[in-house]
Amino acid sequence: MSKTNAAILGTGRSYPEGILTNAELERMVETSDDWIMSRTGIKQRHKAADGEYTSQFAVAASRQAIERARIDPADIDLLICATVTPDQILPSTGCLIQAELGAHRAAAFDIAAACSGFLYGLTLANQMIRSGQTRHALVVGAEILTRYVDYNDRSTCVIFGDGAGAAVLGASEDERGILSTRIYSDGRYAEQLFSPGGGTRIQPTAETLAQGLHFYKMRGNELFKVAVRSMADVSREVLEDAGYKADDVRLFIPHQANQRITDAVANNLKVESERVYSNIEMHGNTSSASIPIALDECIEMGKVNEGDLVLLASFGGGVTWGAVLMRW
Ligand code: COA
């Protein structure tokens, strides 16, 4: 009996036209282009304008992915939107994307796993395709993080940006496709990156808004260490699960959180920089959108070719982390 793998058939990306540069941030908080570049590697990030919302970018990225996968939106039977910045609380952003795309046969929902959301989505889609329940899945990571950024807090406002990236997956009967996946979380570290207000625990009121309780609070220094360790460990696990070593990886796309995190993880895994993709300079940290945007850019630049072993790894608020290994 032939083994069914889930393979990526097409990808897409989209982000707001608006750009926030380090030079502009220098005028908003006490910081400098030098500090931001040397501590994070970020030069600019995309920032949505008033009136723009998450699903707009998710839909644009998804349309591209669907077109490149050469399927019809009605062929999609699973639609997963990874986001921590949904259009609204109810219904899910997934359902709003579904309606815009005309993916009427899909089961659509959201995953809130912060920066690991896209890899959580790939993991679920992979299992649904392997089990035969799903033929085509759309996984889209989309965020407008700048809405939850406090532009008085210099330790977070320099990091986050907006955008969306999508992938269509389908069954593959050959060697191509997802080889192994692992996802984890540890809620004991919830307060390392969180938005305390706005939900049912601290309901949004004029007072909570004035106090900025809906903004992201981050313990960057603590997150940094956990991020490096978990991304390196989970990457080793997926490699071992599939019988490979870091040496075999042709392209490593880590979540774009901070250039120093990327360098430390690659160094820990002993993957030299030529095989590691980074676009953090241009996008900042776009949470669940970061890996699919990076993957789409790599495909466009010809950095990934048939037969290549591609490793994706992420870490984010929750805390959550995961990795996916695939044969392109
Ligand atoms: N400009 C200038 N100085 C800044 C600054 C900024 N934008 N942000 C923080 N600082 C200052 C701090 O106030 C501190 O000053 P002090 O020593 O006088 O108290 C100093 O720089 C060092 O702060 P620290 O937090 O130790 O810096 P860091 O090297 O850890 O870098 C981050 C801060 C946020 C860039 C880094 O910790 C990081 O990237 N962490 C991971 C964050 C992340 O990836 N989050 C998302 C998870 S997916």
Side-chain angles (χ1 to χ4, degrees), residues 30-31 35 39-40 115 154-155 158-159 193 218 220-221 223-224 255 257-258 260-261 285 315-316:
E30 204 184 320
T31 191
W35 192 95
R39 307 297 266 205
T40 71
C115 308
R154 66 179 181 173
S155 67
V158 300
I159 303 232
L193 176 55
M218 183 172 77
N221 215 294
L223 265 180
F224 195 105
H255 166 52
N258 180 321
R260 288 190 296 138
I261 293 179
N285 178 345
F315 176 86

Side-chain angles (χ1 to χ4, degrees), residues 293-310:
I293 288 176
L295 180 61
D296 189 55
E297 288 179 354
C298 286
I299 294 166
E300 199 171 277
M301 288 189 248
K303 280 182 180 287
V304 51
N305 296 298
E306 206 175 315
D308 285 352
L309 202 60
V310 179

Side-chain angles (χ1 to χ4, degrees), residues 218-238:
M218 183 172 77
R219 295 186 194 146
N221 215 294
E222 289 168 43
L223 265 180
F224 195 105
K225 291 171 216 149
V226 195
V228 174
R229 199 176 51 240
S230 347
M231 278 207 275
D233 286 351
V234 74
S235 295
R236 266 189 214 97
E237 275 185 78
V238 291

Side-chain angles (χ1 to χ4, degrees), residues 173-193:
E173 303 297 335
D174 54 29
E175 288 301 296
R176 228 169 83 73
I178 294 178
L179 304 175
S180 52
T181 66
R182 291 257 182 173
I183 47 174
Y184 294 103
S185 55
D186 190 340
R188 288 172 299 182
Y189 297 104
E191 293 193 2
Q192 287 198 349
L193 176 55

